[in-house]
Amino acid sequence: MKSTPLVLLASLAFLGASAFGADAPTASPIIPTPLTTGQVIPLWPEGVPGWKDIGPEKVSGTTYSNISNPRLIVHSPPAGTPSSGTAIVFCPGGGYIHVNVGGGIEDIFNPLGVTVFTLLYRCQEFGEPAPLQDVLRAVRLVRAHAAEFGLNPAHIGVLGGSAGSHVAGSAGTLYDDPLGKTGSPLDSVSGRPDFMILIFSVLSMEDPNASAPSRKALLGANPTPEMMEHYSIERHVTPNTPPAFLIHTQQDTTVKLENELQLYAALRKNNVPAELHLYPLGTHGSGEDPNFGPTALWPKLCEEWMRFNGWVPTSPTSMMKVQTAAEATARGARAGGRRGTPAARADGTPSATAK
């Protein structure tokens, strides 16, 4: 995976020096289209809600901190790759202390024709509800401009890693929360994502599964029980929560995998379509490291999940695999009804437990 921090920084120049200094932001020009990789879209051209002077933004490699002017960085599909019309608002992790845009999520989804909007959101300097406001504004902005961007307004998802999963999950569960609205005309646009992809996720703000550093950064040193409950994602799942794809590992000692288990249980209780993948190996944020074996294959599984749900076009190869599996299952069901004939698995091989 690769990152392009210098390109991103260069592309911010049109915002002016004050965008990262002590002056409040001013209105930006109309968003240029077609979108190009590295393009910057300010979230709040009319003024950041609750803006305060926290000094200049800091950038170290792919890590951004002291963010006071939230924005989106565009990653468009490469030249020659047809757009699927699907967009992902990517919420990078960083414990609500900073935002680390490295990891190359765009390298996974751009080849599928998906436009990735990396969200630089406000963190500990602002605390709640700033990140919720930023992610919902991002979804609303992309949806409101979908026609101009060449996107399908019903195919806008969120993806988060670590604390970024809490940001993304907040969009998926708190999209109608009054705290996520600012009185802007864009509040009338739905902030509900159409799907969620959550990886190594910080989700609960309540003990025993909360990530203490992330909780402190978002809610302060002494949050009330009501605050912790309000920002515990698993507490706010309803039948209208968007479908979810969840990833975690047993080897993650930074964030407990029980976060994913709690959320999955809530999704299942509310009949929300969800796919959960738990792996034995893989340190926190290990991503596609081949040293962790099958854990590194999650992007391919996620791709198939997106194809199955129609967010990216179904490839002939994928359809062939699905049809083959379905035919094998049907053959197994027929054969399993005859004494002495083993039933078949979905891949067509005999079941070891069939009698």
Side-chain angles (χ1 to χ4, degrees):
M1 295 184 182
K2 61 180 183 293
S3 58
T4 54
L6 294 179
V7 173
L8 300 186
L9 287 173
S11 69
L12 297 175
F14 85 92
L15 289 176
S18 66
F20 305 102
D23 298 327
T26 57
S28 66
I30 294 172
I31 301 171
T33 55
L35 298 176
T36 57
T37 293
Q39 183 175 340
V40 177
I41 303 176
L43 282 187
W44 307 97
E46 74 277 27
V48 177
W51 189 89
K52 54 187 176 182
D53 181 4
I54 60 173
E57 186 171 290
K58 301 174 184 177
V59 183
S60 177
T62 60
T63 300
Y64 293 72
S65 59
N66 218 48
I67 298 167
S68 62
N69 291 274
R71 56 202 184 273
L72 294 170
I73 309 295
V74 178
H75 297 277
S76 297
T81 300
S83 172
S84 66
T86 293
I88 287 176
V89 174
F90 168 46
C91 308
Y96 281 118
I97 297 169
H98 54 251
V99 175
N100 188 340
V101 303
I105 286 295
E106 65 275 9
D107 298 335
I108 296 172
F109 293 96
N110 281 168
L112 305 179
V114 175
T115 302
V116 176
F117 295 84
T118 298
L119 174 62
L120 297 183
Y121 53 90
R122 289 171 288 168
C123 294
Q124 62 182 350
E125 294 80 14
F126 287 81
E128 63 85 25
L132 174 64
Q133 293 175 341
D134 291 345
V135 68
L136 291 180
R137 175 66 165 221
V139 174
R140 289 172 177 139
L141 187 151
V142 173
R143 180 165 282 132
H145 291 273
E148 302 162 49
F149 295 167
L151 300 171
N152 184 336
H155 286 190
I156 299 171
V158 290
L159 185 154
S162 191
S165 287
H166 190 269
V167 180
S170 295
T173 54
L174 298 174
Y175 49 85
D176 278 334
D177 194 312
L179 292 175
K181 299 180 179 181
T182 64
S184 164
L186 268 182
D187 286 349
S188 62
V189 178
S190 173
R192 177 188 179 274
D194 296 298
F195 59 87
M196 304 186 294
I197 302 169
L198 307 178
I199 306 167
F200 296 100
S201 305
V202 172
L203 296 170
S204 184
M205 288 288 141
E206 298 177 303
D207 292 328
N209 297 320
S211 168
S214 296
R215 180 172 64 190
K216 180 180 179 182
L218 178 66
L219 303 181
N222 299 295
T224 65
E226 291 76 18
M227 289 174 67
M228 291 187 286
E229 187 277 337
H230 190 80
Y231 286 99
S232 290
I233 304 307
E234 75 281 1
R235 292 276 201 165
H236 302 286
V237 174
T238 72
N240 200 40
T241 298
F245 184 91
L246 312 175
I247 295 289
H248 217 118
T249 65
Q250 290 177 291
Q251 207 172 34
D252 186 350
T253 58
T254 302
V255 178
K256 296 179 179 180
L257 65 78
E258 281 75 14
N259 281 266
E260 246 86 12
L261 293 176
Q262 284 182 304
L263 179 59
Y264 180 77
L267 293 166
R268 185 171 183 270
K269 180 179 179 180
N270 285 274
N271 295 313
V272 177
E275 193 164 310
L276 171 64
H277 295 273
L278 299 178
Y279 298 97
L281 301 181
T283 54
H284 187 69
S286 53
E288 295 179 89
D289 188 334
N291 291 321
F292 297 120
T295 310
L297 301 179
W298 75 262
K300 178 55 69 174
L301 296 176
C302 188
E303 174 186 338
E304 294 302 325
W305 176 74
M306 294 185 71
R307 291 192 190 281
F308 180 79
N309 284 283
W311 297 309
V312 296
T314 301
S315 68
T317 302
S318 297
M319 279 305 298
M320 187 178 301
K321 289 179 179 178
V322 171
Q323 290 169 354
T324 300
E327 290 167 0
T329 301
R331 287 197 303 270
R334 291 193 297 270
R338 298 193 296 271
R339 181 178 295 276
T341 306
R345 296 193 186 95
D347 62 1
T349 60
S351 169
T353 59
K355 297 180 181 179

